Amino acid sequence: MSFKMEKVNIAQKLSLFSEFWSPKIVGELNGQLVKLAKFKGEFVWHKHEGEDEMFYVLSGVLNIEFRDRVETLRENEFIIVPRGVEHKPVATEEVSVMLFEPNTTLNTGDQVNEKTRSSLDKI
């Protein structure tokens, strides 16, 4: 996968899709993918055994549920979920996020279900 060296307009890229829980690849660096996604509703409990995962909220409010607490992220806030930590993203209203993850990261981690996206679109 290769990307040209050019600026990326996040708002323009977000305008290209409307589906929830289906990340889109917008960049790549050092084996990491930069993804944009829209969330609404509850995701699934999952963990990533081999990689950390970063959620950066662009707009809206995102709750990341952990087994012992909930972290609420607002616009311009992020959290890094360490590998092996079970978590569940929840968005009461639509939220737009940027994700930084290794290119091997499966969105549902150790779970495979109807929300699993094994092949992501590049936009």
Side-chain angles (χ1 to χ4, degrees):
M1 182 179 308
S2 66
F3 286 85
K4 294 185 268 180
M5 187 175 62
E6 59 186 34
K7 68 181 179 179
V8 174
N9 183 299
I10 294 170
Q12 185 270 333
K13 294 293 187 185
L14 285 168
S15 75
L16 298 176
F17 67 98
S18 59
E19 64 267 34
F20 299 120
W21 308 111
S22 185
K24 308 297 182 198
I25 300 168
V26 294
E28 180 179 12
L29 69 157
N30 304 318
Q32 298 278 321
L33 295 179
V34 180
K35 303 173 186 176
L36 294 177
K38 295 177 180 180
F39 298 164
K40 187 173 182 183
E42 292 192 18
F43 201 54
V44 295
W45 282 104
H46 68 285
K47 61 186 172 186
H48 304 276
E49 291 296 345
E51 54 265 331
D52 303 329
E53 186 175 31
M54 180 179 156
F55 295 87
Y56 176 81
V57 175
L58 301 167
S59 66
V61 176
L62 177 64
N63 290 316
I64 304 286
E65 294 185 3
F66 298 98
R67 291 299 184 180
D68 63 344
R69 71 185 194 283
V70 176
E71 289 289 340
T72 300
L73 304 174
R74 292 175 176 78
E75 187 174 325
N76 295 320
E77 295 182 329
F78 72 86
I79 192 167
I80 298 170
V81 179
R83 67 194 70 195
V85 174
E86 208 173 13
H87 59 286
K88 179 175 76 167
V90 177
T92 305
E93 300 295 327
E94 181 175 326
V95 61
S96 295
V97 300
M98 181 181 287
L99 306 163
F100 290 95
E101 304 171 324
N103 58 16
T104 56
T105 302
L106 187 63
N107 68 324
T108 54
D110 62 339
Q111 303 297 312
V112 177
N113 57 43
E114 71 280 354
K115 291 187 177 178
T116 302
R117 302 291 180 264
S118 56
S119 177
L120 302 181
D121 296 330
K122 175 182 154 186
I123 60 172

